[in-house]
Amino acid sequence: MAALQLEKQRGRYAALAIAAVVIVVGIPLWWKTTETYRAWLPFSEISELDSLQLQLSVDIEVVFSRGTLTPEQQKKFPLSHVNEKEHQVDAKTGLRYKYETRYRTATIMEEDALNQPTAAEADLSLHMLSESSCGSVVVYVIPESSTLLPEDVKVYVGQRRTALLRSPPFKTSWNLKEVLSNLDVEVEQVVSTMSFGHQDIVAALSNRVRMTKVTKESMADSMRAIKSSPGYEITFSLLNPDPKSHSLHWDIEGAVQSYIQPLLNKLAPIANFSVDSQILYYAVLGVNPRFDNSVSAYTLSADSLSHVINPVEARLGSNAASSNPVLNFLLYVPDAHHSPLFIRDHSKRKVPSNAFHSPRWGGIMVYNVNEMYGPEAERPVDININMAKVMGVFLAQLRLMLGVQHTHPPTGFVLQSPGSAGLADWELDRLLWSRSVENIATASTTITSLAQLLDQIGNIVINDNIAQQVSSAVTSLQSAVAELEAGNLAFALQYSREAILASERAFFDPSLLHLLYFPDDQKFAIYIPLFLPMCVPIVLSLLKIVSEAKKRRADKQAKSD
Amino acid sequence: MNYCNLITIFAFINLLVSIPHGYSNYVETKAGQFFSSGHTNNWAVLVCTSRFWFNYRHVANTLSVYRSVKRLGIPDSHIVLMLADDMACNYRNPKPATVFSHKNMELNVYGDDVEVDYRGYEVTVENFLRVLTGRLPPSTPRSKRLLSDDRSNILIYLTGHGGNGFLKFQDSEEISNMELADAFEQMWQKRRYNELLFIIDTCQGASMYERFYSPNLMALASSQVGEDSLSHQPDLGIGVHLMDKYTFYLLEFLEEVHPASQANMNDLFKVCPQSQCVSTPGHRTDLFQRDPGSVLITDFFGSVRKVEITKDTINLTSPVEPPIKRSGSSDIQIESLTYVDQLPVAEIIHQKPKQKDWHPPDGFILGLWTLILLVFFQTYGIKHLKHIF
């Protein structure tokens, strides 16, 4: 009996010991060895970024030339004034525009510069004097009676960041405040043309904000311009459907160097560009042009243009190495039997540029060569393509594609053509504003949705490189927002570019596929057949110990009673 | 009588005058309609998920949709075609290099210029989800990626064997409707589509679109939950069923659509009613913003580009500079190019075995040993331990 008791005692101790080992050693060991590695992410800062409050600051300088103000009114100069406007775009996004305006009178050298015969020359000499910083606007107010601007022109916007504004009529009896408030309306118009308008900024936020109320024009604008991307590829293609008749020569390298490269160099802070070119022979348009007797030429109507692109696109080569968006510019020389070929717009009028473009894809230009040779010329005819004309059209199309918005300036405004650089400084500033805002909006939504995904799926492994990318994206975003607030546009763009690169790299990391990580019910399905057979004897023996102890206590109670 | 004549002539002249005006209005509205759909490019992801010769019809399904989509204008660079098995070059194909969609071998949907992006065993759930969400390794070529943006309309077509809430891939794994819905949500978060049309031709296909919750999705399925999608007709020459009923009638419908057609989604919903299909096709449009009657078939199946006339040009006056001559090109020695050693034999032969990191025994081993120890103690008791050790 005693031996049996001893056995039972030993059995009890054995069971307890095993249970102790399993619980104290086994379970923590199992937990430690099966936990997933999740590097630390700044979740609190990311949730702060979810609600975006952007402040855009513009530096405006208003310079009054001689003859616009009386000495009385000029006494208080130089004067500065800050104007702030707030817009709440939606629950999580708010915008604040801060216009810091400085008023002063013109210096002697500026007066000399303004004395030039034409506005263009005045603009040029004003540039020689000073260099305005990126994102700022300088407005020179000239007397109402000045002959610098033509009669009906109120504002002349130059190639850099200056504008000449004809002063609205002032009464000499007004004090400075009235003068300035009268002028404010005009200055605001100039600034919204040269800097940014509210619609443009809201369109740039389209990644964050569901667009419900947009004007048709701004939707067309947002559809036309290509999305912000770290790099773009531009491909120029020459389509020659009739090599038997035409032997075409185009100096594409020189043309790109002279005309396109200056624009791309100026746009270097925004993205990287790579340019290539190709020649396609026996490439036909997908549409048959119709012969129009009235002009004895072949015509393509505007409706059929949309079907032209697809058959051609299938044959265009592209650089397979990168995933950057491609902009195609095609030059089509019609074959000898279908020359000359003209494009007609919706009202059946001839299009002077003989070119059309498709948003986010590129443009096509038709170049007629039938006038360059007579019927007796020996086939194939050697033809040199006039690259200046061609590049003029392609440059205009490229500007549209890249989002240099086709600003519809208010009446009375004259915008100086950008010339050889291809892009005026203030147009670049407009692009920088909208790109910075777009990059910040996209990067913030990417980071917040990534954080949400990683939070939701508790067992995705977060590697160190992802954590590092996320942290650098968060810091770049915060710096970009701060720089925008301070008004340093160039730095803001740079930080926003870094933010978007880092956030995209983190979001699209191949290891973040939630398919690869097991949901909880699958985990149970795996562990139960392994651990249940082991746990059942342990639990049963523990229960038996407890019930025996209870019985003994009950017996003792009964005995003592 | 005179007045009558005058009035008729007047009315006739009026009519003549108003017709061109009406036509220009029509042109204006068509032009306006171009910007009503909000997309600028089209993509298509076509997936066939079954292998083995007797699933010929699934490959034929996918290739028919591929053919229609190409015919209506989407280029190969914008189509991701995933075929889980190669029927055209299968040993059992009596007509090699062809895949027919109609008995009597009327229509060869394989054709001459099929570009398959994911073939054979590359068609897995993981690759499919990677394509959709964009989480591909950096070495993936452009043709295997879905490079859509926020203005892309995407058509996704899945076919194969499925069940209530899942679709079977390669006879060995499955994708659930929840995973698909999550993938679409990931796409929406990154604005990888403007609108998405999801078509599925499997048994109980409607269960696959039940769980969608992202906006701008429209879905069509060939059968409801609890119903089977049936195949259409066997070909006695080839020996297998050539197409599924739903896709057969879908192909018939699409053959009548041309790039300028105005057929809309309501016509697509009527394809293959129960009398023809035996199963009841279903569709889901509650997540879609626009009215299906205003959505053109070519918005998803074709690629009708929006086109604008270029009105402004830039006057370039400076002459073309000659391209910068690369200086000293004759002095630079071009180093001769060689191929990388394809099989570095020397390295392999003299390779030392890789040091594997030591891992503590995992849960399974621990559990197994605990079980063995338990059984041992149970049977023998502790007092026998000294006999063993």
Side-chain angles (χ1 to χ4, degrees):
Chain A
M1 241 335 257
L4 196 59
Q5 266 309 76
L6 209 59
E7 273 307 313
K8 277 211 178 137
Q9 185 83 331
R10 279 224 188 103
R12 253 179 262 138
Y13 285 154
L16 280 172
I18 289 174
V21 164
V22 165
I23 292 174
V24 171
V25 177
I27 289 185
L29 200 65
W30 166 72
W31 187 262
K32 208 69 197 5
T33 49
T34 54
E35 78 175 358
T36 49
Y37 177 72
R38 286 172 75 95
W40 178 82
L41 286 181
F43 280 112
S44 55
E45 294 181 31
I46 294 174
S47 57
E48 263 174 35
L49 279 174
D50 195 22
S51 66
L52 196 62
Q53 297 291 337
L54 278 179
Q55 178 176 305
L56 293 109
S57 313
V58 187
D59 262 335
I60 309 172
E61 211 175 315
V62 180
V63 182
F64 289 93
S65 68
R66 199 176 24 224
T68 44
L69 294 176
T70 66
E72 263 286 311
Q73 293 162 333
Q74 274 178 12
K75 247 198 307 198
K76 292 219 183 94
F77 281 170
L79 180 69
S80 64
H81 173 65
V82 174
N83 192 10
E84 282 192 14
K85 269 192 249 179
E86 282 204 32
H87 291 272
Q88 194 69 23
V89 179
D90 73 352
K92 288 196 269 183
T93 319
L95 290 169
R96 199 185 324 155
Y97 304 131
K98 190 164 123 181
Y99 301 101
E100 283 181 26
T101 324
R102 273 182 298 135
Y103 300 96
R104 63 175 177 85
T105 50
T107 62
I108 310 260
M109 292 183 291
E110 287 173 343
E111 291 287 347
D112 279 337
L114 285 170
N115 263 335
Q116 304 284 330
T118 63
E121 291 176 28
D123 196 51
L124 195 61
S125 29
L126 281 170
H127 290 153
M128 312 279 203
L129 294 176
S130 62
E131 180 78 35
S132 39
S133 69
C134 190
S136 61
V137 176
V138 184
V139 181
Y140 288 94
V141 185
I142 54 179
E144 204 181 330
S145 50
S146 162
T147 50
L148 196 57
L149 298 176
E151 262 301 312
D152 48 350
V153 170
K154 206 169 44 164
V155 177
Y156 180 85
V157 178
Q159 262 184 4
R160 302 290 175 87
R161 296 183 175 100
T162 55
L164 302 172
L165 170 67
R166 190 199 296 278
S167 132
F170 291 146
K171 291 210 193 65
T172 44
S173 55
W174 283 349
N175 68 353
L176 189 60
K177 211 183 275 187
E178 289 170 344
V179 167
L180 291 183
S181 61
N182 226 336
L183 196 61
D184 261 348
V185 175
E186 316 279 333
V187 171
E188 206 183 299
Q189 243 187 3
V190 174
V191 169
S192 73
T193 308
M194 285 178 70
S195 188
F196 55 82
H198 179 58
Q199 281 297 328
D200 307 324
I201 300 292
V202 169
L205 287 171
S206 63
N207 261 347
R208 266 184 85 91
V209 175
R210 290 286 294 276
M211 294 277 117
T212 43
K213 311 181 259 311
V214 277
T215 63
K216 193 135 161 243
E217 213 175 78
S218 68
M219 177 151 128
D221 269 345
S222 78
M223 273 171 57
R224 187 186 303 123
I226 205 163
K227 273 277 160 197
S228 166
S229 158
Y232 296 101
E233 279 180 41
I234 301 178
T235 308
F236 292 99
S237 312
L238 173 64
L239 302 177
N240 187 358
D242 198 6
K244 284 202 285 272
S245 318
H246 305 135
S247 166
L248 299 170
H249 303 281
W250 71 339
D251 182 17
I252 185 69
E253 249 187 86
V256 164
Q257 201 64 38
S258 330
Y259 302 128
I260 306 284
Q261 202 56 44
L263 173 67
L264 299 183
N265 288 341
K266 213 160 176 185
L267 287 172
I270 294 182
N272 299 323
F273 289 93
S274 87
V275 182
D276 41 28
S277 67
Q278 60 179 335
I279 304 182
L280 277 178
Y281 293 106
Y282 294 107
V284 289
L285 299 180
V287 182
N288 281 330
R290 246 173 296 158
F291 189 73
D292 193 353
N293 272 322
S294 56
V295 291
S296 67
Y298 287 88
T299 57
L300 275 178
S301 69
D303 298 328
S304 55
L305 290 176
S306 44
H307 306 299
V308 166
I309 297 182
N310 286 325
V312 178
E313 190 184 358
R315 301 192 53 204
L316 288 177
S318 77
N319 191 354
S322 74
S323 313
N324 289 331
V326 180
L327 290 171
N328 296 296
F329 293 98
L330 272 56
L331 182 65
Y332 180 74
V333 176
D335 51 323
H337 298 290
H338 286 109
S339 286
L341 180 62
F342 295 117
I343 298 180
R344 293 241 180 280
D345 62 9
H346 289 292
S347 17
K348 304 284 176 219
R349 280 195 306 256
K350 200 167 100 154
V351 174
S353 62
N354 221 16
F356 62 98
H357 58 268
S358 174
R360 299 202 182 183
W361 182 80
I364 300 186
M365 177 180 176
V366 178
Y367 188 83
N368 291 314
V369 294
N370 57 315
E371 289 164 10
M372 296 190 189
Y373 59 92
E376 75 288 344
E378 186 190 319
R379 304 299 167 97
V381 183
D382 274 322
I383 297 175
N384 273 323
I385 296 185
N386 178 8
M387 292 313 288
K389 181 168 151 217
V390 167
M391 280 301 165
V393 173
F394 281 161
L395 203 57
Q397 289 176 340
L398 180 61
R399 278 163 51 101
L400 279 174
M401 294 290 133
L402 288 175
V404 177
Q405 267 103 336
H406 204 180
T407 49
H408 300 283
T411 51
F413 275 58
V414 165
L415 307 171
Q416 186 178 5
S417 99
S420 65
L423 194 67
D425 277 359
W426 58 271
E427 287 177 323
L428 180 65
D429 282 352
R430 278 187 79 101
L431 202 54
L432 292 184
W433 284 113
S434 58
R435 278 297 160 97
S436 313
V437 172
E438 192 184 333
N439 285 350
I440 290 177
T442 313
S444 64
T445 40
T446 308
I447 289 287
T448 41
S449 84
L450 178 65
Q452 215 180 5
L453 170 75
L454 293 177
D455 206 26
Q456 240 177 358
I457 302 174
N459 45 15
I460 274 193
V461 172
I462 305 179
N463 287 325
D464 278 332
N465 66 327
I466 299 176
Q468 194 214 357
Q469 295 288 346
V470 170
S471 307
S472 86
V474 168
T475 42
S476 302
L477 260 180
Q478 288 168 338
S479 318
V481 173
E483 295 287 351
L484 262 190
E485 228 176 272
N488 302 328
L489 188 55
F491 285 122
L493 181 74
Q494 195 188 340
Y495 282 126
S496 71
R497 259 184 92 183
E498 287 173 19
I500 211 176
L501 272 173
S503 62
E504 300 266 313
R505 215 172 285 148
F507 191 91
F508 287 119
D509 192 271
S511 70
L512 288 182
L513 203 64
H514 66 275
L515 173 71
L516 301 175
Y517 304 102
F518 306 107
D520 286 325
D521 48 350
Q522 283 191 16
K523 269 205 278 205
F524 278 126
I526 293 174
Y527 284 132
I528 284 182
L530 292 178
F531 288 139
L532 199 64
M534 174 187 84
C535 284
V536 165
I538 295 178
V539 169
L540 284 182
S541 50
L542 281 178
L543 283 177
K544 206 164 104 176
I545 291 172
V546 166
S547 69
E548 275 180 6
K550 264 206 207 132
K551 211 170 73 172
R552 238 181 300 130
R553 206 166 292 143
D555 280 342
K556 250 191 223 155
Q557 285 282 49
K559 254 194 221 166
S560 61
D561 286 343
Chain B
M1 212 237 345
N2 266 351
Y3 279 140
C4 260
N5 270 356
L6 211 62
I7 287 174
T8 3
I9 293 172
F10 210 64
F12 196 57
I13 294 174
N14 226 7
L15 198 66
L16 279 179
V17 166
S18 65
I19 281 179
H21 179 69
Y23 178 69
S24 72
N25 258 357
Y26 167 72
V27 167
E28 280 299 295
T29 48
K30 250 182 65 146
Q33 207 176 29
F34 272 171
F35 281 100
S36 73
S37 65
H39 75 280
T40 59
N41 53 31
N42 287 78
W43 285 80
V45 180
L46 311 173
V47 184
C48 158
T49 60
S50 341
R51 51 177 32 244
F52 307 132
W53 171 246
F54 51 82
N55 289 321
Y56 183 102
R57 60 189 186 280
H58 296 142
V59 174
N61 286 350
T62 319
L63 285 173
S64 326
V65 178
Y66 173 76
R67 180 200 138 79
S68 312
V69 149
K70 260 181 88 157
R71 189 177 54 83
L72 291 173
I74 304 186
D76 271 315
S77 52
H78 284 226
I79 302 178
V80 178
L81 178 62
M82 304 169 86
L83 297 179
D85 204 354
D86 189 2
M87 298 307 169
C89 301
N90 194 302
Y91 303 120
R92 294 168 72 171
N93 192 349
K95 303 270 174 200
T98 60
V99 172
F100 290 110
S101 73
H102 196 284
K103 70 169 190 237
N104 303 328
M105 303 186 199
E106 277 173 20
L107 187 56
N108 173 18
V109 289
Y110 200 64
D112 288 333
D113 59 348
V114 171
E115 188 185 292
V116 181
D117 300 304
Y118 287 85
R119 61 188 71 234
Y121 286 110
E122 289 174 354
V123 179
T124 58
V125 176
E126 184 185 331
N127 280 349
F128 177 57
L129 289 179
R130 282 195 191 280
V131 165
L132 286 185
T133 53
R135 297 205 169 101
L136 290 157
S139 57
T140 316
R142 233 185 139 100
S143 58
K144 282 188 163 180
R145 286 181 189 256
L146 180 64
L147 295 170
S148 54
D149 55 29
D150 64 320
R151 294 260 171 222
S152 307
N153 275 7
I154 308 184
L155 165 74
I156 299 190
Y157 177 82
L158 296 176
T159 183
H161 288 290
N164 191 355
F166 66 91
L167 171 63
K168 189 169 73 159
F169 266 69
Q170 301 271 8
D171 211 33
S172 64
E173 50 180 5
E174 28 182 77
I175 186 171
S176 66
N177 49 7
M178 204 60 226
E179 281 173 348
L180 200 55
D182 285 338
F184 286 156
E185 176 64 17
Q186 292 275 295
M187 287 174 79
W188 175 249
Q189 291 279 332
K190 258 326 247 160
R191 299 290 185 273
R192 275 166 70 79
Y193 67 89
N194 176 39
E195 287 168 351
L196 203 144
L197 177 63
F198 175 77
I199 303 183
I200 184 161
D201 187 354
T202 64
C203 304
Q204 310 195 50
S207 64
M208 289 304 282
Y209 62 65
E210 271 173 1
R211 301 286 197 105
F212 289 170
Y213 55 93
S214 317
N216 288 352
L217 294 179
M218 197 190 310
L220 280 108
S222 60
S223 56
Q224 301 290 337
V225 175
E227 288 179 348
D228 288 334
S229 281
L230 301 177
S231 59
H232 189 53
Q233 3 161 268
D235 180 295
L236 298 176
I238 298 182
V240 284
H241 286 259
L242 294 182
M243 283 270 271
D244 278 330
K245 279 193 161 59
Y246 181 76
T247 312
F248 180 79
Y249 289 108
L250 180 68
L251 177 65
E252 229 177 52
F253 171 76
L254 287 175
E255 289 284 302
E256 311 205 344
V257 173
H258 55 90
S261 109
Q262 297 286 311
N264 60 34
M265 282 295 156
N266 283 335
D267 304 325
L268 192 63
F269 295 155
K270 293 199 204 101
V271 162
C272 206
Q274 196 178 9
S275 50
Q276 281 176 328
C277 251
V278 183
S279 58
T280 321
H283 54 91
R284 178 178 179 180
T285 54
D286 59 316
L287 294 165
F288 204 73
Q289 301 254 342
R290 299 190 281 151
D291 169 45
S294 69
V295 180
L296 300 176
I297 298 285
T298 50
D299 277 351
F300 287 103
F301 283 89
S303 174
V304 181
R305 298 280 183 173
K306 298 192 182 3
V307 164
E308 289 177 324
I309 307 281
T310 309
K311 294 208 178 62
D312 310 306
T313 62
I314 294 186
N315 208 359
L316 292 169
T317 45
S318 53
V320 176
E321 293 160 14
I324 300 169
K325 286 267 183 289
R326 292 190 199 101
S327 56
S329 55
S330 51
D331 302 355
I332 298 173
Q333 289 280 44
I334 302 173
E335 44 179 69
S336 58
L337 304 168
T338 55
Y339 276 104
V340 171
D341 214 357
Q342 298 291 315
L343 196 64
V345 177
E347 279 179 34
I348 295 176
I349 290 177
H350 299 293
Q351 213 175 357
K352 288 203 183 13
K354 216 165 49 158
Q355 293 275 44
K356 270 212 170 124
D357 303 319
W358 179 80
H359 292 289
D362 60 8
F364 172 67
I365 305 289
L366 282 176
L368 193 65
W369 276 106
T370 315
L371 187 65
I372 292 173
L373 285 174
L374 198 67
V375 170
F376 180 75
F377 285 136
Q378 190 91 356
T379 24
Y380 294 109
I382 293 186
K383 67 176 191 283
H384 288 283
L385 221 60
K386 58 180 191 292
H387 293 287
I388 318 266
F389 294 106

